[in-house]
Amino acid sequence: MSGPTSFVRVCALGELEEDTPKRVELDGTPVSLVRTGGEVFAINDICSHANVSLSEGEVEDCMIECWLHGSSFDLRTGKPSGLPATRPVPVYPVKIEGDDVLVSVTQES
């Protein structure tokens, strides 16, 4: 059973630089926001392979790379593109309303 999805304003769209991750915390969940290719994505900020922040990595071709061991994760799905990471990281819905970026980290139950 899942309830309605609740979105929270996290920043202004103008605060996000193209291909530069921004770390935010929502309800205790670390999230990396990425503006790339005209879209904004929200992905859990912790690498599934090592407990390090993905927002410190590089963004290219809708992928974010973990700076520690080089695993890359698809910003759309959270799936890793190769080793050493084998598990995906959660991704979260994003809405743009005017200049506001809203993200939902509500978990399905």
Side-chain angles (χ1 to χ4, degrees), residues 28-50:
T29 301
V31 175
S32 182
L33 294 175
V34 179
R35 184 178 187 174
T36 187
E39 294 185 73
V40 176
F41 299 93
I43 188 168
N44 191 286
D45 193 47
I46 304 301
C47 177
S48 63
H49 169 255

Side-chain angles (χ1 to χ4, degrees), residues 26-72:
L26 298 173
D27 295 328
T29 301
V31 175
S32 182
L33 294 175
V34 179
R35 184 178 187 174
T36 187
E39 294 185 73
V40 176
F41 299 93
I43 188 168
N44 191 286
D45 193 47
I46 304 301
C47 177
S48 63
H49 169 255
N51 190 22
V52 298
S53 175
L54 291 176
S55 62
E56 295 177 29
E58 306 259 329
V59 174
E60 187 176 343
D61 297 329
C62 216
M63 303 288 286
I64 189 167
E65 182 181 56
C66 176
W67 62 269
L68 188 59
H69 296 117
S71 287
S72 289

